[in-house]
Amino acid sequence: MTTTTHTTRIGVVGGSIAGCAAALAAAQAVPDATVVVFERSAGELRDRGAGIGIQHERFAELVAAGLLDASLPATTNTAREWYAWGGEASGLGKLIWPQPFPFNAYNWGHLHRSLRGRLPSHVEYRGDARVVSASPTESGASVTLADGTVEHFDLLLGADGYRSVVREAMFPGVVPEFAGYLCWRGLSDFAELEGLPTDSFFTVGFPHGHLVAYPIPADDGRRQFNWVLYSMVPPELTGDLRTATSIPPGAASDGLLDFMDALLTRELPPLWAAALRKTALEDVFIQPIYDFEAPAYAKHRMLLLGDAGAVARPHAGAGAVKAMQDAATLLRLWPTATDLDDLATRYDAARRPAGHAVVALARRIGEAQVLHTPDWSAFDEATFVPWLTAQMELPDGTEIGGRRL
Ligand SMILES: Cc1cc2nc3c(=O)[nH]c(=O)nc-3n(C[C@H](O)[C@H](O)[C@H](O)COP(=O)(O)OP(=O)(O)OC[C@H]3O[C@@H](n4cnc5c(N)ncnc54)[C@H](O)[C@@H]3O)c2cc1C
């Protein structure tokens, strides 16, 4: 890329997975650039996403790209066990299929800390810095902060999640679409759970929903039980879910928690219901499920990374991976781009299809495994495997866990 005497200024809005990965890519690609990350949260971002599953090959690619540490704590895993009501003596229900599953499980907090820890010291990570708006300028883009300050950048990277203000500046009014269902999430101490294998992901199917659960490494070296329970929307949930939102720990009403408890009793085999009840109710959080694809990943000198550009339903297990791949792609393209506009064009061409594919795959899985569920308990391995296989891969190679970098 042609050099100028002017020090390139790169702004990053959002300091989570995509934001740290983006700042790392920018700092590596242009070592003498000024890189500033604006993160609205004041403290350490902890336990945002609970558990993250990453497919072995995708993990290795991100290590090779310089974004992930090969030593990131993980729970190693051999299978994804699929269950439904039924079975004989086991309180776990009927095991339909122990699917070979090349994924390990990670703690979201460890992942974020590792990415942030890799930022060179000259990257300025500003916490408690909320960007209220962004706008294109003749030579780049500017951001306005909550305290009224305006800062200008040659390139602005929008890594500010599903309600991105950078995206709003690029495509006003283009917002995520509610998928029609939600998930309940929580963590408990794996050591307290009896009868569960320690080296598997688990899925338990029921009408209009399913449970996904797996052990993840805790801060103290123990294992936590990370669970995500997909269900229809409780009538108790008031508020407009068409506007992207979530209900953080401690904010779910008694009525909502009663709905969840009844769901556990009605739909889950007893050991699974008991496992979820080990989570303190004040720690349960709720995330409505959205689909989103930005019309483009770049416009003017503004680029989108991570959920700001595309939100896939979590069934594809690929959102955090996609966020880091977005940054890895930026890093790969930078040295051969003729200027920042060329970089933006080539980044959009490279990443828009990848975002589109993962959103499409996750939508298909959600339709099959939540909105239009089969009779899970009627499956045996011979009928289940073709049903599942038909959902899990797109012709372009996008599969659960994401797409090759
Ligand atoms: C139930 C569930 C399970 C999942 N499981 C997996 C999985 O197994 N594997 C996987 O790869 N992915 C998974 N994902 C997806 C993954 O969690 C997300 O795709 C990923 O965390 C998105 O990261 P991000 O940095 O783009 O967005 P976010 O994590 O949303 O970060 C956006 C950041 O921007 C900040 N911000 C927002 N607005 C502003 C502003 N105006 N000014 C300053 N800062 C701002 C926010 O505070 C936040 O820190 C899962 C998601 C869910 C919901």
Side-chain angles (χ1 to χ4, degrees):
M1 190 181 296
T2 43
T3 50
T4 62
T5 50
H6 159 81
T7 304
T8 307
R9 284 179 53 79
I10 301 163
V12 181
V13 184
S16 176
I17 304 287
C20 288
L24 191 53
Q28 283 181 8
V30 196
D32 59 352
T34 299
V35 180
V36 184
V37 179
F38 300 99
E39 168 53 53
R40 68 179 171 199
S41 305
E44 191 185 348
L45 304 183
R46 288 176 62 86
D47 305 331
R48 279 289 186 82
I52 292 287
I54 304 183
Q55 198 198 26
H56 299 331
E57 283 179 31
R58 303 291 83 77
F59 187 85
E61 289 165 359
L62 292 166
V63 170
L67 290 172
L68 285 181
D69 284 324
S71 61
L72 192 68
T75 51
T76 51
N77 170 60
T78 55
R80 178 174 187 180
E81 297 188 350
W82 293 82
Y83 290 88
W85 263 111
E88 299 295 315
S90 165
L92 293 172
K94 163 176 146 182
L95 176 59
I96 305 171
W97 187 37
Q99 179 191 12
F101 201 59
F103 280 65
N104 282 344
Y106 302 86
N107 182 314
W108 191 95
H110 297 167
L111 179 60
H112 181 255
R113 244 176 286 157
S114 165
L115 279 168
R116 190 169 166 191
R118 288 170 93 87
L119 294 179
S121 55
H122 70 273
V123 170
E124 191 187 339
Y125 185 104
R126 284 192 216 162
D128 199 11
R130 187 164 67 87
V131 171
V132 289
S133 65
S135 41
T137 64
E138 248 176 51
S139 57
S142 63
V143 295
T144 303
L145 294 159
D147 66 4
T149 358
V150 177
E151 298 209 23
H152 180 267
F153 296 95
D154 300 293
L155 186 69
L156 187 64
L157 305 179
D160 46 346
Y162 68 149
R163 287 184 286 200
S164 169
V165 295
V166 178
R167 188 185 66 224
E168 179 61 21
M170 296 162 71
F171 307 107
V174 176
V175 292
E177 186 185 345
F178 179 49
Y181 57 96
L182 50 71
C183 69
W184 315 73
R185 302 185 72 182
L187 286 169
S188 57
D189 183 356
F190 199 84
E192 283 186 28
L193 308 174
E194 285 164 21
L196 288 187
T198 56
D199 57 355
S200 294
F201 281 56
F202 311 103
T203 303
V204 186
F206 56 84
H208 297 300
H210 62 272
L211 166 70
V212 175
Y214 47 93
I216 61 167
D219 282 345
D220 57 8
R222 293 193 299 175
R223 285 165 195 264
Q224 285 174 304
F225 180 70
N226 168 67
W227 57 266
V228 183
L229 179 73
Y230 296 96
S231 84
M232 299 291 78
V233 179
E236 291 79 356
L237 187 54
T238 51
D240 188 358
L241 299 180
R242 285 171 303 171
T243 309
T245 188
S246 64
I247 299 177
S253 67
D254 290 347
L256 282 177
L257 294 170
D258 288 347
F259 177 94
M260 186 188 82
D261 197 65
L263 185 73
L264 299 186
T265 305
R266 191 175 66 244
E267 305 294 5
L268 290 184
L271 275 183
W272 297 111
L276 268 56
R277 288 194 176 108
K278 298 275 185 196
T279 302
L281 288 178
E282 61 272 21
D283 294 335
V284 171
F285 58 109
I286 302 173
Q287 288 179 295
I289 303 298
Y290 296 94
D291 293 304
F292 178 73
E293 295 171 60
Y297 269 43
K299 191 172 178 187
H300 312 297
R301 293 274 192 82
M302 295 184 279
L303 272 54
L304 299 174
L305 294 95
D307 281 9
V311 180
R313 302 184 197 183
H315 317 294
V321 168
K322 188 197 81 74
M324 291 181 276
Q325 289 182 334
D326 289 345
T329 303
L330 205 50
L331 179 58
R332 176 173 59 78
L333 296 175
W334 219 306
T336 54
T338 50
D339 56 25
L340 292 175
D341 297 313
D342 182 46
L343 177 69
T345 305
R346 290 174 58 192
Y347 172 75
D348 176 47
R351 293 312 292 168
R352 199 185 335 164
H356 173 79
V358 82
V359 171
L361 177 74
R363 184 184 285 126
R364 187 165 82 183
I365 299 171
E367 297 292 316
Q369 297 185 17
V370 182
L371 290 173
H372 306 290
T373 44
D375 178 359
W376 295 88
S377 56
F379 278 129
D380 57 20
E381 185 172 324
T383 52
F384 181 73
V385 174
W387 175 78
L388 186 68
T389 309
Q391 293 159 37
M392 289 294 184
E393 189 172 343
L394 296 181
D396 69 358
T398 303
E399 58 184 349
I400 180 163
R403 174 165 148 157
R404 191 175 293 279
L405 183 57

